[in-house]
């Protein structure tokens, strides 16, 4: 079963607007990560937020984590056409002997209209 | 600059043939991963390795194998290709020893099994 689920599945906004994507998960995590994937390309890491952190910023990106609700959000401020991509959350789950695996959601497809 | 490369980028093969996809990283990372990406499923973990001579099965490992003889390479072999293995395959690597850090992805290999 899917550990992380992004919402919405697709989002279309005008350039300059803010975009918010959400991720919900089911079990306790070590950290949660957000990745971006441009069409036909590999995934690119955006931000990692640890389970004891509540908010993190990187440029125009803001990530929040609420472990009590098992949810995270990714906010992209002042969006640009170049932000058009799919965005994935990934949760780091223990896989035994001190090791972890990343489990990815199905992604939110963001379209930013110029 | 360090990078992770995959070859070939595109491959068409026939049912029943053995296929090997190459993954090479120059990050000197301990951890390497293989994922497949299909519409409606997001990324699913096939196999992973936390170091030389270490390999582990992921969520969808049936029909696939890997071997890790050095730090830089983790080839993925499809023993007898099936049409259900038509997909886009991504290799990734990460630093550390636990697998919970950010992952760096290759550009992907699009495999078609006829």
């Amino acid at each position: 079963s899917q550990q992380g689920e992004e919402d919405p599945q697709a989002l279309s906004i005008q350039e300059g607007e803010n975009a918010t994507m959400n991720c919900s998960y089911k079990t306790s995590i070590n950290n949660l990560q957000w990745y971006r994937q441009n069409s036909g390309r590999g995934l690119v890491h955006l931000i990692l937020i640890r389970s004891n952190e509540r908010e993190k910023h990187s440029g125009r990106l803001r990530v929040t984590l609420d472990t009590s609700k098992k949810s995270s959000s990714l906010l992209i401020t002042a969006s640009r056409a170049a932000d058009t991509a799919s965005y994935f959350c990934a949760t780091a789950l223990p896989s035994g002997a001190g090791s972890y695996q990343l489990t990815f959601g199905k992604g939110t497809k963001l379209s930013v209209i110029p | 600059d360090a990078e992770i490369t995959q070859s070939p980028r595109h491959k068409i093969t026939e049912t029943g043939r053995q296929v090997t996809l190459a993954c090479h990283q120059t990050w000197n990372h301990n951890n390497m991963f293989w994922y497949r990406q299909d519409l409606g499923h997001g990324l699913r973990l096939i196999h992973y390795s936390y170091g030389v001579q270490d390999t582990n099965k992921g969520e969808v490992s049936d029909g696939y194998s890997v071997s890790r003889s050095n730090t830089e390479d983790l080839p993925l072999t499809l023993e007898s290709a099936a049409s259900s293995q038509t997909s886009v395959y991504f290799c990734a690597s990460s630093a550390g020893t636990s697998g919970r850090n950010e992952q760096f992805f290759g550009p992907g290999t699009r495999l078609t099994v006829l």
Side-chain angles (χ1 to χ4, degrees), chain B:
Chain B
D1 286 347
E3 60 177 356
I4 180 165
T5 57
Q6 293 183 234
S7 62
R9 295 293 314 278
H10 301 271
K11 174 80 175 176
I12 300 175
T13 192
E14 295 177 342
T15 301
R17 290 191 181 267
Q18 184 181 79
V19 176
T20 296
L21 309 183
C23 175
H24 179 81
Q25 53 100 0
T26 58
W27 293 97
N28 199 32
H29 286 162
N30 289 323
N31 312 314
M32 296 185 72
F33 310 85
W34 273 104
Y35 297 89
R36 60 178 289 174
Q37 186 175 34
D38 305 285
L39 280 174
H41 288 280
L43 268 77
R44 291 182 290 174
L45 184 63
I46 305 172
H47 281 285
Y48 58 102
S49 168
Y50 289 141
V52 176
Q53 302 301 331
D54 176 75
T55 60
N56 305 280
K57 294 181 179 180
E59 178 189 356
V60 290
S61 61
D62 287 349
Y64 303 94
S65 63
V66 294
S67 62
R68 186 92 180 269
S69 59
N70 59 50
T71 300
E72 296 79 19
D73 300 289
L74 187 70
L76 177 71
T77 297
L78 287 67
E79 304 293 345
S80 177
S83 57
S84 60
Q85 295 176 308
T86 292
S87 185
V88 181
Y89 291 86
F90 288 100
C91 179
S93 68
S94 71
T97 55
S98 67
R100 62 185 168 185
N101 297 327
E102 66 175 288
Q103 294 187 7
F104 295 79
F105 280 78
T109 293
R110 183 174 294 275
L111 177 68
T112 302
V113 183
L114 301 176

Side-chain angles (χ1 to χ4, degrees), chain A residues 41-73:
Chain A
R41 310 290 290 272
L43 279 72
V44 174
H45 182 265
L46 297 175
I47 287 186
L48 181 154
I49 186 166
R50 293 183 171 76
S51 60
N52 61 353
E53 297 175 311
R54 291 297 168 257
E55 188 169 312
K56 222 168 178 182
H57 296 255
S58 177
R60 293 184 295 111
L61 307 181
R62 172 179 165 247
V63 168
T64 61
L65 179 65
D66 187 334
T67 53
S68 67
K69 295 182 179 178
K70 292 185 170 60
S71 67
S72 173
S73 67

Side-chain angles (χ1 to χ4, degrees), chain A residues 66-103:
Chain A
D66 187 334
T67 53
S68 67
K69 295 182 179 178
K70 292 185 170 60
S71 67
S72 173
S73 67
L74 169 67
L75 168 68
I76 304 174
T77 59
S79 63
R80 305 166 182 168
D83 294 328
T84 293
S86 291
Y87 293 81
F88 295 87
C89 71
T91 50
L93 304 176
S95 57
S99 300
Y100 294 83
Q101 288 181 26
L102 286 189
T103 301

